[in-house]
Amino acid sequence: MDAALQLLEHQSFSSLGVREVTREAGMSPAGFYRHFRDLADLGVALVEEALGSLHAMVLAAFAGLGEPEEVIDHAVQVIADHVREHRAHVRFIARERFGGVRQVREAIAAELERFTDEVACALAAQPVSAGWNPADVRMVAELYVDHMVLTAVALLEAEADAEAEGRIASTARRQLRLISLGRRHWAAG
Amino acid sequence: MDAALQLLEHQSFSSLGVREVTREAGMSPAGFYRHFRDLADLGVALVEEALGSLHAMVLAAFAGLGEPEEVIDHAVQVIADHVREHRAHVRFIARERFGGVRQVREAIAAELERFTDEVACALAAQPVSAGWNPADVRMVAELYVDHMVLTAVALLEAEADAEAEGRIASTARRQLRLISLGRRHWAAG
DNA sequence: ATATTGAGCAAACAGTTGTTTACTCAATGC
DNA sequence: GCATTGAGTAAACAACTGTTTGCTCAATAT
């Protein structure tokens, strides 16, 4: 799996080959089939590795108890840290979210859906959502999750350029502030 | 190029082969090199075909002169129509925006940037943006462009299921309304 | 001590790959 | 009418592909 992630830095999953992966991993082609039935199988395993451990993290990002301003700063910081420490995983998810392999696409969609549910739950618990239609809460959660993914990949593309990273983080914060403002003035019901 | 688009419905660009494309197009492999130096060359040609004609359209979507509500309905309708008539192009852009081929990724990024500039220009002309910091206007434009792309691909995945399409369009409209609300209450300067 | 199992290997299979070469042939320019 | 050119072809090249087979060999379980 590490070998595959390595290779996926410069190509997309549907162009990966069994031989290519095993060569990178330093083993024989046949060895691959001891662990995975398919390349698609490897793909969904990678999805679980990349997104499985993410849930706790993001709920932590939401757990700011202070002003919305502080919560936003904290959330963006958490995303930036995660990108710095899991570049390959983030790249994989962004690249294959709409990629060419159905099983992988669907695994990512399912995981992001669970994810959106959890965010919706956290949002519903905030005072600002009092009296809101649940469908509207979920719509905001979708907005947040999509925004998070796009921010992560933008930070990735900054390639450790601190100045670019700062610009992206600043934009992301202002966008979140705008959305937060919209929430506060939404006509609930 | 049509043959390539056809194949790209089920795989991503970096797994495309010269022979594969020429076979689908009904010509010999060598013929490919009469038209393109590279596969990447074909890729950026596809990007221009897919995004080149889009500018006029979206500015038209913004040209609603009525209430924000009407403008939003119109914009989402324009997106839905475009997706219906250019499924392959939309899929290609969404899939390769973060895909495995650098030249294609960069061509899409450049085109979307021009795009964002135009949207920012249109936004700046609206009364709501009076007194706004240009950087803040651009940040909103980015939000809109990203949202547009995500809405387009979501509609694509609905696969002509009218009920799912309706749900997605409704969500998109509510999200745009929320953002619009945020704009109205933004502290300019 | 012995059986089972998980994880690895080399070799072989026929089929596909990108690219170049030397060629044809209709359309076009003048 | 004749040269040029744009767009196509078949054939050839070595290199690479996914997958299966039969084999080892260490670790584990009993």
Side-chain angles (χ1 to χ4, degrees):
Chain A
M1 288 170 68
D2 290 349
L5 271 182
Q6 180 89 261
L7 290 168
L8 286 172
E9 188 166 342
H10 297 296
Q11 57 194 287
S12 47
F13 189 82
S14 83
S15 76
L16 217 55
V18 171
R19 289 189 113 103
E20 206 179 354
V21 172
T22 54
R23 192 186 313 126
E24 177 81 17
M27 53 189 258
S28 88
F32 174 85
Y33 296 94
R34 298 284 177 204
H35 303 271
F36 307 100
R37 184 176 313 126
D38 248 348
L39 271 169
D41 201 19
L42 198 180
V44 320
L46 280 175
V47 173
E48 284 166 26
E49 182 178 272
L51 289 181
S53 69
L54 210 63
H55 298 250
M57 184 201 88
V58 160
L59 295 190
F62 263 85
L65 294 155
E67 292 294 303
E69 199 70 18
E70 297 174 45
V71 178
I72 287 174
D73 289 0
H74 183 228
V76 171
Q77 190 58 51
V78 167
I79 294 173
D81 290 347
H82 185 83
V83 170
R84 223 188 312 278
E85 287 172 53
H86 301 90
R87 302 186 70 81
H89 280 150
V90 171
R91 173 175 287 121
F92 170 67
I93 293 300
R95 186 160 288 174
E96 301 306 327
R97 180 176 184 190
F98 306 120
V101 180
R102 190 173 46 81
Q103 290 98 319
V104 174
R105 237 166 32 221
E106 287 173 357
I108 294 177
E111 210 67 42
L112 287 184
E113 197 120 339
R114 283 180 49 195
F115 215 74
T116 305
D117 290 339
E118 292 178 16
V119 171
C121 212
L123 289 180
Q126 295 180 325
V128 85
S129 311
W132 275 50
N133 183 336
D136 286 342
V137 174
R138 191 154 207 293
M139 152 219 126
V140 178
E142 287 177 27
L143 206 50
Y144 277 138
V145 170
D146 285 338
H147 186 264
M148 190 191 71
V149 173
L150 287 177
T151 300
V153 57
L155 286 169
L156 197 69
E157 285 170 347
E159 292 278 6
D161 171 352
E163 198 257 339
E165 276 180 24
R167 210 172 36 236
I168 290 162
S170 158
T171 298
R173 278 192 297 265
R174 270 150 45 223
Q175 290 171 334
L176 288 175
R177 221 173 296 155
L178 186 99
I179 292 173
S180 162
L181 221 49
R183 285 177 71 200
R184 254 197 296 290
H185 293 90
W186 186 261
Chain B
M1 288 170 66
D2 289 348
L5 271 183
Q6 179 89 260
L7 291 168
L8 287 173
E9 188 166 341
H10 297 295
Q11 58 194 287
S12 48
F13 189 81
S14 84
S15 76
L16 218 55
V18 171
R19 290 187 111 104
E20 207 178 355
V21 173
T22 55
R23 193 186 312 126
E24 177 81 18
M27 52 189 255
S28 87
F32 175 86
Y33 297 95
R34 299 285 175 203
H35 303 272
F36 307 101
R37 186 176 312 125
D38 248 348
L39 271 169
D41 201 19
L42 197 180
V44 320
L46 280 176
V47 173
E48 285 167 25
E49 182 178 271
L51 289 181
S53 69
L54 211 61
H55 298 251
M57 185 202 85
V58 161
L59 295 190
F62 263 86
L65 294 155
E67 292 294 303
E69 200 71 16
E70 297 175 46
V71 177
I72 287 174
D73 290 359
H74 183 227
V76 171
Q77 190 57 51
V78 167
I79 294 173
D81 290 347
H82 185 83
V83 170
R84 222 188 312 279
E85 286 173 55
H86 301 88
R87 302 186 71 80
H89 280 149
V90 171
R91 172 175 288 121
F92 171 66
I93 294 300
R95 186 162 288 174
E96 302 306 326
R97 181 176 183 190
F98 306 120
V101 179
R102 189 175 45 81
Q103 290 100 320
V104 173
R105 236 166 34 220
E106 287 174 357
I108 294 176
E111 210 67 40
L112 287 183
E113 196 121 341
R114 284 180 49 197
F115 216 72
T116 306
D117 290 339
E118 293 177 15
V119 171
C121 213
L123 290 180
Q126 295 179 324
V128 183
S129 312
W132 275 50
N133 182 336
D136 286 343
V137 174
R138 196 160 203 293
M139 155 222 124
V140 177
E142 287 176 28
L143 206 50
Y144 277 139
V145 170
D146 285 338
H147 186 264
M148 190 190 70
V149 174
L150 287 177
T151 300
V153 58
L155 286 169
L156 197 68
E157 285 170 347
E159 290 279 4
D161 170 352
E163 198 257 338
E165 276 181 23
R167 212 172 36 238
I168 290 161
S170 158
T171 299
R173 276 192 297 264
R174 269 146 50 217
Q175 289 171 334
L176 287 174
R177 222 173 295 154
L178 187 101
I179 293 172
S180 163
L181 220 49
R183 284 177 70 198
R184 253 198 295 288
H185 293 90
W186 186 261

